Amino acid sequence: MKKLLTLLLLTIGFGTFAQETYEDLLILKADKNWEKLIKQGVKYTEKDDTKNDAEPYYYVALAYYNISFISDRDEEYENAFKDALTYIGKFMRKDKDGSVFEKHREFFSEVKQYLVEMIANEVEVGSYRRAFAWVIKMYKFDREEIGANYLEGAIRYHRGDKTTARNKWKDADELLDKVETTDGWLQEDFDMLRIGVVETAKIYVQMRQNAKAKELLDKVAPWFEDDQMFQDQYDEVVNS
């Protein structure tokens, strides 16, 4: 009788046996009610029976990201983009098998591409301090982000922390050597890698290690055969 009751509860979804569908969050997303979506989504991240689900963290990140583009947003959401990245980091820790990430991959790709563009803009004008603040946010997506590790090393070198720079480059080299295929990579992954290896190669040239700079660029060159920006930067670094 006890087993039968347990089976019945599972079937009709009583208590914690119910599988949350987050239909309320989906509706708020459709209505673009970002502030309410944040508040409702955060509630799910704090409830014992849903705090380990990845889905609500995605919705909160999505809401913060969209609010970040509203110029007259409330002061409470002044750092909305950073808050979006914070929740993406939490999401990644909850999404153990990556299934929810794949479901919403277009969103995560958009955010990452936007972040890469911000980093590229700061690097282009030589604002390494500001670039560093954004580079470390890349690890919200993946601690083993190769391009971010290379670029962090380059920025730390510019800031005078040469020991940490070399350690970051060593980590990045090891991660690069582990890459067997880039089939699952998106454009932003290649863009981040290009920025990281080019900036690192430039420093190798400054250190009079031209051969090392060329070796690094040659390692990734096959992935950038159709990337004119990489080709131009390759020529500039190798022939400098």
Side-chain angles (χ1 to χ4, degrees), residues 20-85:
E20 185 59 64
T21 59
Y22 304 108
E23 289 183 7
D24 54 336
L25 301 186
L26 186 60
I27 292 171
L28 291 171
K29 173 188 173 182
D31 291 341
K32 298 184 179 180
N33 192 336
W34 307 126
E35 292 188 22
K36 192 169 182 180
L37 180 55
I38 289 171
K39 290 179 172 59
Q40 188 66 17
V42 168
K43 288 180 182 179
Y44 282 114
T45 68
E46 295 172 344
K47 288 171 60 178
D48 288 340
D49 55 342
T50 53
K51 65 182 182 182
N52 290 318
D53 291 351
E55 199 81 27
Y57 295 90
Y58 151 72
Y59 281 107
V60 176
L62 173 75
Y64 271 123
Y65 177 68
N66 280 282
I67 284 181
S68 72
F69 293 101
I70 300 175
S71 58
D72 59 344
R73 62 184 180 273
D74 290 345
E75 190 174 312
E76 178 183 357
Y77 303 105
E78 182 180 354
N79 296 311
F81 183 64
K82 290 182 179 179
D83 291 332
L85 295 174

Side-chain angles (χ1 to χ4, degrees), residues 91-217:
F91 166 88
M92 293 298 181
R93 292 192 292 273
K94 302 296 182 181
D95 188 31
K96 303 297 185 182
D97 63 358
S99 60
V100 185
F101 175 84
E102 287 301 327
K103 179 181 176 182
H104 303 294
R105 184 160 187 171
E106 185 176 345
F107 163 71
F108 293 108
S109 177
E110 179 180 339
V111 178
K112 191 173 182 181
Q113 184 63 60
Y114 184 71
L115 181 57
V116 171
E117 289 173 2
M118 292 175 67
I119 293 169
N121 290 337
E122 300 298 349
V123 169
E124 186 176 354
V125 298
S127 181
Y128 294 110
R129 181 183 64 81
R130 291 175 63 88
F132 179 79
W134 293 119
V135 167
I136 59 176
K137 298 293 186 184
M138 289 296 298
Y139 300 128
K140 300 290 185 181
F141 292 90
D142 186 356
R143 287 298 307 175
E144 297 187 345
E145 167 63 52
I146 304 173
N149 275 274
Y150 274 120
L151 185 55
E152 183 185 345
I155 293 173
R156 287 187 180 277
Y157 186 92
H158 283 299
R159 297 172 65 176
D161 187 359
K162 297 181 180 180
T163 299
T164 304
R166 291 189 176 92
N167 288 335
K168 295 303 297 184
W169 288 331
K170 180 176 180 293
D171 291 342
D173 285 339
E174 291 175 355
L175 291 172
L176 183 61
D177 289 340
K178 291 179 183 178
V179 176
E180 295 180 355
T181 178
T182 60
D183 287 349
W185 288 30
L186 297 180
Q187 186 58 49
E188 58 270 18
D189 301 315
F190 290 104
D191 290 342
M192 188 69 251
L193 180 64
R194 174 178 49 75
I195 296 168
V197 296
V198 167
E199 290 302 311
T200 298
K202 287 179 180 178
I203 291 176
Y204 287 161
V205 170
Q206 292 177 19
M207 297 166 62
R208 300 182 185 279
Q209 297 182 22
N210 296 54
K212 192 172 182 179
K214 185 177 185 301
E215 180 184 6
L216 174 58
L217 293 175

